[in-house]
DNA sequence: CAACATTACTAACCACTGGTTATTATATAA
DNA sequence: TTATATAATAACCAGTGGTTAGTAATGTTG
C-alpha cells in the first residue's frame, strides 16, 4: 500500500487550500502571492506548483464546494411549486449577487477574465460544468417568467439579463465595503432593473405577436 | 530662459508616452511593464517615475486626447436636432462601445477597477472630469427618451442603462478578437437590450402615472 | 535486510517586477 | 568661472512567478 504517501499528499494539499482561503478572504485574490500562501501553509512555494497549475487553479478548486452549495440553494428555489416564476427569478438573482459579493474572488470565475478567451473555455473543467449548470438554471427560470417564442429569443433575453447582473457586480465588486452595506445599496436599483427588464421582455414578445 | 530644459523634458515625456502607447496597443495594458516601456523609449525606467506616478497615470494621460475626441463625437450627435432621442441614444452607445473595445486599455478607466474605491474618486483628476461629462451626456439623452418623473428616477434608470453597457463590455473586452468581429457579434443583442430597456422604462413610468 | 524505485518536498537559481536613493550629467544663471 | 536648478541614471531593495537539480521519506522487490 502507498497509504502514508497518499495521506501526506492529501494533508499538504488541504493545508495549502486552507491557507490560500484564509489569505484570499483577508486580502483578496489578486493581492495574495503564491509565496505568501506557501509561507502561511508552512511549505516551500514550489510545493504548491506540485498540486496546482497556478493561483487560479487553486481558486477554482477552492470554489467548488461553495459553488455546489450555491447551486443547491438555487435549485431549492426553482423546485418550489408555490412561488411565481418572477419571485423565483428575483430570489435566485439575490442569492447569486450575495454570493459573488461575499466571495469577491469567485466573482472573477463568472466574469471569467481569462477563461472566456473563447479558445479555452474547457467544458471538461469541473468549474465550467457547474457554471453552465447555474446559468441554465437561471435561464430556465427566466423562460418561465415570459411566454417566449423560440430558444433563440430566450437565449438573447438571458444574455441581456446576465449583462445587467454582470454590470452591477463589476460595479460593486470593487467597492471595499462590507457585503451587507453593498447589498443594501444595490438592491433597490437591482429590483427595479429586473422589473424594467421583465416588463420590456414581455412588451417585445407582445409586439411581435401582432 | 530655461528653454532647453523644458524642451528636453517635454521631448522625453512625449517619447515615453508614444512608447507606452505602442506597447499598450500591441500587448495590452496589463501585459506591459514600466521597464519595457523604458526600454522602448530608450531611457531608464526611473525616468518614467519622474513624469508619471505609475503605469495607470500614464494610461490616463495617454487617454485624454482620445476621450476628448470621443466626447466631441458624442456631443455632435446630441446636438443634432433632426434625430429622435432614441436614435441618438443608440448611436451614442454604439460609439461608446466601439471606443471601449478599440481601446481595451481605456475600458478599465470606465469600469475603474481601482478608482471606484469610493474614498478616492478624485473629481479634480482630469480623467474623472471628462468621465463625468460623458456620463451626464448619456444620462441626459436617456432622459429625452422617456418622460421622466424625477431626477431620482432618471438617475436610477441611467444606472440600469449603464449596468447593461458595462455587462456587455466586461463580457466582450476579454475576448481577444478583432474589434469589428466583436462588434458584429454583440450589436444585435445590444440593440435588442436597448429596446427592452426603453420599453421597460416607459412601462414603469406609465404604470406609476395611474 | 539491502537495493532500488517512487513519491513528496525543497533549496538554489533565473529573469523579471515596481519602486527608492544616491549620484552623475546638463543646461541656466550669477 | 562658479554656483544652481533640472534631467537622467546606476545601483540597489524586496518581492514576484516559475524551473531544475537534488534531498528526504515511504514502498517495493530481490
Amino acid at each position: 500500500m502507498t497509504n502514508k504517501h497518499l495521506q501526506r499528499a492529501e494533508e499538504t494539499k488541504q493545508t495549502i487550500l486552507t491557507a490560500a482561503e484564509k489569505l484570499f478572504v483577508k486580502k483578496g485574490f489578486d493581492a495574495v502571492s503564491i509565496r505568501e500562501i506557501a509561507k502561511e501553509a508552512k511549505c516551500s512555494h514550489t510545493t504548491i506548483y506540485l498540486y496546482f497549475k497556478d493561483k487560479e487553479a487553486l481558486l477554482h478548486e477552492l470554489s467548488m464546494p461553495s459553488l455546489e452549495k450555491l447551486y443547491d440553494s438555487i435549485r431549492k428555489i426553482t423546485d418550489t411549486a408555490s412561488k411565481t416564476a418572477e419571485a423565483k427569478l428575483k430570489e435566485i438573482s439575490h442569492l447569486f449577487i450575495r454570493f459573488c459579493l461575499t466571495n469577491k474572488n469567485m466573482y472573477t470565475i463568472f466574469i471569467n477574465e481569462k477563461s472566456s478567451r473563447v479558445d479555452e473555455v474547457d467544458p471538461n473543467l469541473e468549474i465550467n460544468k457547474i457554471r453552465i449548470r447555474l446559468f441554465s438554471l437561471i435561464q430556465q427560470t427566466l423562460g418561465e417568467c415570459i411566454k417566449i417564442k423560440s430558444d433563440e429569443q430566450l437565449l438573447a433575453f438571458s444574455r441581456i439579463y446576465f449583462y445587467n447582473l454582470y454590470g452591477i457586480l463589476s460595479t460593486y465588486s470593487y467597492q471595499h465595503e462590507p457585503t451587507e452595506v453593498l447589498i443594501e445599496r444595490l438592491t433597490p436599483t437591482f429590483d427595479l432593473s429586473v422589473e424594467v427588464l421583465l416588463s420590456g421582455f414581455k412588451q417585445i414578445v407582445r409586439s411581435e405577436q401582432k
Side-chain angles (χ1 to χ4, degrees), chain A:
Chain A
M1 269 175 276
T2 135
N3 222 341
K4 264 204 175 155
H5 268 322
L6 248 166
Q7 192 191 325
R8 193 174 160 192
E10 209 98 329
E11 261 178 36
T12 53
K13 188 175 178 181
Q14 202 49 53
T15 313
I16 292 167
L17 278 170
T18 57
E21 179 165 35
K22 184 177 165 187
L23 292 176
F24 286 167
V25 167
K26 196 166 111 195
K27 310 179 58 180
F29 181 71
D30 289 329
V32 177
S33 74
I34 294 265
R35 288 167 129 98
E36 268 181 284
I37 299 170
K39 197 176 275 179
E40 178 74 34
K42 292 179 202 308
C43 71
S44 165
H45 74 281
T46 42
T47 304
I48 294 179
Y49 287 106
L50 250 45
Y51 293 97
F52 307 96
K53 191 180 143 274
D54 52 26
K55 213 171 64 173
E56 200 165 279
L58 219 168
L59 175 63
H60 283 184
E61 185 136 351
L62 205 55
S63 310
M64 283 307 296
S66 311
L67 278 172
E68 294 284 2
K69 250 179 77 182
L70 175 67
Y71 180 81
D72 288 344
S73 309
I74 290 185
R75 194 61 199 262
K76 234 175 243 165
I77 295 173
T78 58
D79 289 354
T80 311
S82 60
K83 287 174 190 159
T84 68
E86 288 198 25
K88 285 183 190 174
L89 185 67
K90 273 196 185 171
E91 224 173 301
I92 291 175
S93 304
H94 285 158
L95 229 56
F96 186 77
I97 290 176
R98 167 167 263 114
F99 176 84
C100 288
L101 290 180
T102 318
N103 312 277
K104 279 187 188 160
N105 312 310
M106 296 181 204
Y107 149 82
T108 65
I109 293 173
F110 290 101
I111 311 299
N112 51 300
E113 320 211 335
K114 284 178 189 165
S115 43
S116 73
R117 270 193 228 155
V118 186
D119 43 12
E120 57 170 275
V121 191
D122 183 354
N124 294 318
L125 222 61
E126 216 46 47
I127 200 85
N128 282 330
K129 279 188 195 162
I130 191 161
R131 236 173 80 184
I132 289 164
R133 273 196 290 149
L134 266 165
F135 286 167
S136 67
L137 217 54
I138 299 185
Q139 176 167 341
Q140 185 193 310
T141 310
L142 181 64
E144 287 166 19
C145 291
I146 8 169
K147 292 281 162 287
I148 254 167
K149 204 179 58 178
S150 61
D151 284 356
E152 252 174 273
Q153 194 172 48
L154 178 56
L155 182 63
F157 284 177
S158 303
R159 280 196 184 136
I160 294 172
Y161 192 83
F162 279 122
Y163 291 151
N164 185 53
L165 264 174
Y166 285 173
I168 289 197
L169 287 173
S170 71
T171 302
Y172 284 87
S173 283
Y174 289 104
Q175 301 185 196
H176 303 332
E177 280 163 279
T179 308
E180 287 314 313
V181 176
L182 293 181
I183 287 189
E184 209 167 310
R185 193 182 303 158
L186 70 79
T187 300
T189 316
F190 175 73
D191 285 345
L192 180 59
S193 77
V194 174
E195 272 170 57
V196 168
L197 283 174
L198 286 179
S199 155
F201 290 152
K202 285 175 193 163
Q203 192 95 341
I204 301 271
V205 172
R206 225 175 299 146
S207 75
E208 276 177 355
Q209 279 174 341
K210 284 179 199 165

